[in-house]
Amino acid sequence: MPEFLTNIFGKTIIVHIIMGAVPLLFILPYALVVIYVEMKLSSHMQNRVGYMRTGWHGTLQPFADIFKLLQKENIVPAEADKILFSLAPFIVFIGMYAAYAVLPFGSGYVGSEMEIGIFYLLAVSSLVVVGILMAGWSSNNKWSLLGAMRSVAQIVSYEIPAALALLGVVMLAGTMNTEMLSAMQSGGMHEWFIFGGTLPLWKKFTIIPFMFIIFLVYLVSSMAEVNRTPFDLPEAESELVQGYNTEYSGMKFAIFYLAEYGNLFLISAIAVIVFFGGYTSPFGKFLSGGVWDVFWFITKGMLLVLINIWIRWTLPRLRVDQLMYVSWKVLTPFALVGIIVIGFILVV
Amino acid sequence: MFLQLFDIIFYFFATVTLISAGIVVFSKNIVRSAFSLVFTFFGIAGLYVLLNADFVAVAQLFVYVGGILVLLLFAVMLTQKISNLQMKITTLHPIIAIILVASLIGVLCGIVRMNDWRIITISEIPQSTAQSIGKALITTHILPFEIISVILLVAIIGAAMLARKSEKKS
C-alpha cells in the first residue's frame, strides 16, 4: 500500500500523512455502529426496546446524536483554567490515537512496524491518564476532580496486571513487534497464542491453562483501564454526576466520547493481536490475505468489543476497596504465577 | 528532501521541549507547571526517536509520563489550596545561584567539548534494540540490575509500611 501511494503522490511525506489518517476513517464509522449496538443491546437486555423512532429500529439515532453534539454551545466554566480545559479532550484523544499507529489491520496495512510495539502501546496510553487528570483539575469542580483521581488511580493500578499478562505472551513469542506477533499465528486457530502458539504438543497442553489465566487477567484489567461498568467508579452517576467530563459539552464532550470508544476497540485489538491471531485467518490459508486480513482483524476485534458491552450491562459497579482488592490481590498474583510457569515451560 | 524533513522535525521537537520547559520554570501556577512537563518529556522522547533510540524514547514516556509525572500531579493536586497559591519565582540568593548555574554549565560544556563523539552510519545501528538491551542487562550489567531491583523492593516495602502505620493511628 505505501509503494502504491508513493507512486501516485511522489512524496513520502504525503503518504505518511495519508497512512496516519487511515485509522481515523475506521474509528468514526466504528463509533457510530458501536454506540447504536450498545444502546440497542442494553435495551434488550433490560427488557425494553430502546431507539425506535429515528429510522428503521432507530438506526439513524447515532447520526442524530452527532448532529446534536455539533450544534451544542461550547461552554467553558467561568472559573475553569481555560487553556487546560480546552486542551484536555485532545490530549486524551491523541493518547488513544497514537496507539493505533502500531495496530496491524492487515498484512498490507501496518502503520509502524517498530520493534517494541507492545511496549509502545503500554507507554502512549499514559498520555490518556494525563489528559483525564487535566480535564478533572481544570474543570474546577469537585466531582470532576474526584472522578479524575479515581480514574487515574484505577488505570495506574490496572496497568500492572495488564502489562504482566502481555509480558507472558511476549515471552512465548520472543518479540514485541505487533506485526510479527500476528504473522507468527498465521497457521490457523490452533496456533493462536492463547492455545500455546506453535510449541510442541505436550508443552502446548501444559501451557494452555496458564494462557487462559493471563488472557482473563488481561481482559479484566483492560476493562478497568477504559473505565467501563464493572469498573466505572470514575463516572459513577449516583456519586459523582459524570466524573471528569461533567463540565464538558458540545464538541469537546464528543471527543471524550469518541476517545472512550476508540480505547474500547484498542484494548480489544491488543487482545486480538496478542491472543487470537491478529489479522490472520482462523482457518490457516483459507480466506486469508488482502482484504480478508482486515475483515478478520475487525471481526475479531468487534467480537471482543461485544463481550465488553455484554459484561458492562450484566455486572454491577464495584466498590473502591473491592477495586483495589481485585487488582493487587487477585490479578497481579495470578499474572505473576502465569508468567513464572510459562517461563518454566518454555525453558524446560 | 530527507535532510530537510529531518531538520524540520528536529526543530519542532526542540522548540516544544524548550518552550514547555520554560513554562515549567516560569509559570506561577504549580499545576500548570506540572502539566507543561508532559510536553517537555514528550519532546525529549521525540528527539530520542530521531536519534534512532526507540527503546529509550518509549521508556522515557513510560517512566516519566506514565509514572513520575502522574505521581507528581497527584501530589500537587492532593495538597490542598495549592492551586490558589502563587509561587515565588524570584531569585532568593543570586550569588549562590549564579555560582551553581555557572559551574553546571561549565561541567556540561566541558563534557560536550572533551567527549570523543563518534558518528555512526545508519547501517551500524542495531536493528533490534530491545533484544540487545535485554541481553546486556542479564549478562554484563547483571550486578547493577539486581542492586536496582533490590533497592526498588526496599522502597516498595517501605512505602507499604508507612501507609500501614498512618492507617493504624487514625
Side-chain angles (χ1 to χ4, degrees), chain A residues 164-181:
Chain A
L164 287 176
L166 292 178
L167 195 64
V169 183
V170 169
M171 277 162 59
L172 176 63
T175 177
M176 287 194 280
N177 184 334
T178 48
E179 213 282 318
M180 289 260 282
L181 278 170

Side-chain angles (χ1 to χ4, degrees), chain A residues 309-323:
Chain A
I309 292 175
W310 172 35
I311 294 173
R312 175 178 180 179
W313 294 98
T314 309
L315 297 175
R317 186 185 304 140
L318 291 174
R319 276 198 326 260
V320 178
D321 60 316
Q322 290 169 333
L323 181 87

Side-chain angles (χ1 to χ4, degrees), chain A residues 5 95 211 247 285:
Chain A
L5 283 174
M211 294 311 284
E247 298 287 353
K285 287 272 176 289

Side-chain angles (χ1 to χ4, degrees), chain A residues 124-138:
Chain A
V124 284
S125 58
S126 53
L127 217 54
V128 175
V129 175
V130 175
I132 288 175
L133 263 181
M134 201 183 263
W137 183 80
S138 65

